[in-house]
Amino acid sequence: MNQEKLRVELIEAMDLVSVDPSKAQLFAEKAMIRAQRHGWVGALALSHMVVALISIDRETSKPSLEDFYKALTLFRDLNESNYVAQCYFGLGRSYSKMGQYSLALEQYRKALSNDLKSQRGINHDIHLALAETLMNIGQWSDAEQELMGLPQQSELSDIQLVKFQLQVLRLAFYRGDKKTIKDQLKLCEQLAAGFDDQVCRIMVAYYQARYEAKFVRFKVGYKQLEQMWRKGLGERFFYLQYEAGQDFLRSDYPKKGIQALTYLLELEHIPEILRLNIHQLLARFYASHLRYEYATLHYQFAEELSKQLRVSEINEQWARLQVEEQQQSLKEQIAIEKHNNSVLAESNAMLQAVNRIAMSVNASLDYKMLCQSLRDQLVGWINVSVVGIAEVTEERLDFKCIIDNNVFVETDSIPLTENRSWSVRAVNEGRVLYDNNFVISDEILVTENSEVVKSVCFVPLKFESKVIGILSLQSNKPQVFDVRSISLLEYIAPVVSIAFANLVHLNKNLELKGEVNRQRDELRDVRDLVAHLSDHDEVTGLPNRQSLSGHFNRWRPHGNFHCLMMSVTNLSELANLLGYGSDEEIIKVVAKRLINRLRPDDLLVRGATDQFIFFVERMKSEEVLLEFANKMKFLSEQPLRAKDQTINASIAIGIVSFPDHGESLEELMSMASITLSHALSSEDGLFLAG
């Protein structure tokens, strides 16, 4: 068997993956051994691709990464762009299943950057996968652009058309327009009815239940959704459930939203980034509803997950580099540096460079100027792309500034106990360390949009015989640091050390001054908070009775206004019936309803446990005033939920006017109390003072 025949059989095995994966894997593994033995690169690449595709279908994405990267490296060497694109597409699917969506997006876009004119089907699949991933991370506008960028629907296959319309439906739910959702849902129902695919039919049924819950009968729709969630529909539905939970939190049934999100958190295999999003969402929800104990708990979970995700991302990057490194041969070392013909000329040039650098760094007013000056002055001597400078503290090495190709980037710090770190080793050993064939480790300073670091150098900065900092130099070129450049760095180290020590001293003085100002600001904020709490009700957030005097003094100069005193007359009975804390729940709901219906200039105060006080502008007539009071009464007496029970509050309102019934606050409140007592005994619960 020759290579071409083996390649044809491997291509047929790719079609067999979804039908008989075990048979396809057995053939691919045998073909891999044969291709390695004969040195058939193309067949070897296809073998790795078949194994990788099987790993995806079996939900084992991590093993598929290694095989996809191996296939990718080989296909790139063969310049087979169609297969290169398929490898990137497979990597995107793998990263998406692992919940690493930023990496998935990167792979999908790399796939689209290849020439896929002869592979229009996979091109459409990549666009659909890219749109789905963008929705998962909340980039809805970008997802919509991807969907709208697809060709005419007549060019899509049946399964692609159904997937496309389902993604448009998902986007419509995000937008929230009922008519658009209804029309799109009807279209998806028609397509799914004529297409034999179980997953698509389940998704249509899911959206039907969500439409029912959102626009028709919430309880019926939610029950259907809950049954689907309990069955466990797989990772494809995790984000759909998350989006439904978001909807319910904003609806009249927020507890159902919490329940839907809690179902997700109880699952073991949801993406960690989704678990983080859920905790952040619940934390914000509880904080907005003043449930700070629950909000704090979810914030703590979110913070711990963020740390785990950062560690996982670093490990994944390291694994990717290891895989690529296995496929590439090590480059030979550059020939031994040529000896300089003129040692004297070189020494003079170096002395001049040291003098220029000394003048430049001593004129630096901050760490950025220091790094920029060093980078500019080293041009022509050392080809570096990244310059960083760090201070040695008691426990850490804190980078004060990092510049990457004239762009200042975010700094970081390294524990002095991290013995694997080259910079920490340079501090401990007190000497220059460098590597001209460096492999990225945990200590890389720049990770985004930068080429692989190949040359590094760490220069300890000493002041009064003590290492106070580190000068870090990195380059994306190999063999940058030679004897000539290391000698220059050793000459300028004392000069840079003095300039750096001066900046450290200056910044500590500025930090001390800033700390004093910060504490002063914090004290002012505490005073403001105490003042706010003393004038506002804890339960409703409304101004309290204590603040009423100040509000009255502000309203009084504007002339006539009405004062309404409203009482929830059956609050004590309801509290006894429902139990501890129910009175606060009832008052919260009533207060929220009143706030939503008041005009911008009206004042609402919580006057007592069961009492609210209104200040409203003078109205045209008594009929208008009574109509307003009736609206407030009707609104407050609508059924409400407390302690998982539906109850009705009874309302009485007494109405007086300033200055007709009192020119002082005490007189006005006394008359309002009298009218309220009359309202309690009246049939309609209202009484307007004559």
Side-chain angles (χ1 to χ4, degrees), residues 345-463:
E346 181 68 23
S347 299
N348 288 336
M350 187 172 294
L351 181 60
Q352 292 175 8
V354 172
N355 289 335
R356 287 195 305 271
I357 292 173
M359 294 176 62
S360 178
V361 298
N362 285 327
S364 300
L365 301 177
D366 55 35
Y367 299 121
K368 288 186 177 181
M369 287 184 64
L370 180 60
C371 284
Q372 186 69 59
S373 298
L374 283 169
R375 189 179 185 282
D376 293 343
Q377 293 299 327
L378 290 175
V379 172
W381 286 88
I382 309 175
N383 186 0
V384 294
S385 54
V386 179
V387 176
I389 196 162
E391 179 189 3
V392 177
T393 61
E394 292 183 1
E395 299 179 351
R396 305 187 69 82
L397 189 60
D398 294 324
F399 279 88
K400 299 298 184 181
C401 178
I402 303 172
I403 181 172
D404 181 8
N405 291 319
N406 292 322
V407 177
F408 293 101
V409 299
E410 186 177 353
T411 58
D412 203 348
S413 62
I414 303 172
L416 290 177
T417 56
E418 184 57 68
N419 296 325
R420 295 179 301 167
S421 167
W422 280 62
S423 51
V424 173
R425 285 172 51 196
V427 171
N428 295 333
E429 297 178 20
R431 64 185 180 89
V432 177
L433 297 178
Y434 67 96
D435 189 344
N436 283 317
N437 196 19
F438 186 71
V439 179
I440 297 178
S441 67
D442 294 341
E443 130 164 61
I444 183 170
L445 302 180
V446 181
T447 59
E448 295 182 1
N449 301 323
S450 62
E451 298 182 26
V452 176
V453 175
K454 293 183 179 178
S455 297
V456 293
C457 182
F458 301 93
V459 183
L461 303 178
K462 299 180 181 180
F463 186 73

Side-chain angles (χ1 to χ4, degrees), residues 127 134 185 190 227 235 274 282 576 580 645 661 674:
H127 278 290
L134 288 167
L185 181 58
Q190 294 172 351
Q227 290 174 351
E235 58 90 20
L274 176 57
L282 290 175
N576 292 334
Y580 178 76
Q645 295 189 42
H661 303 109
I674 293 172

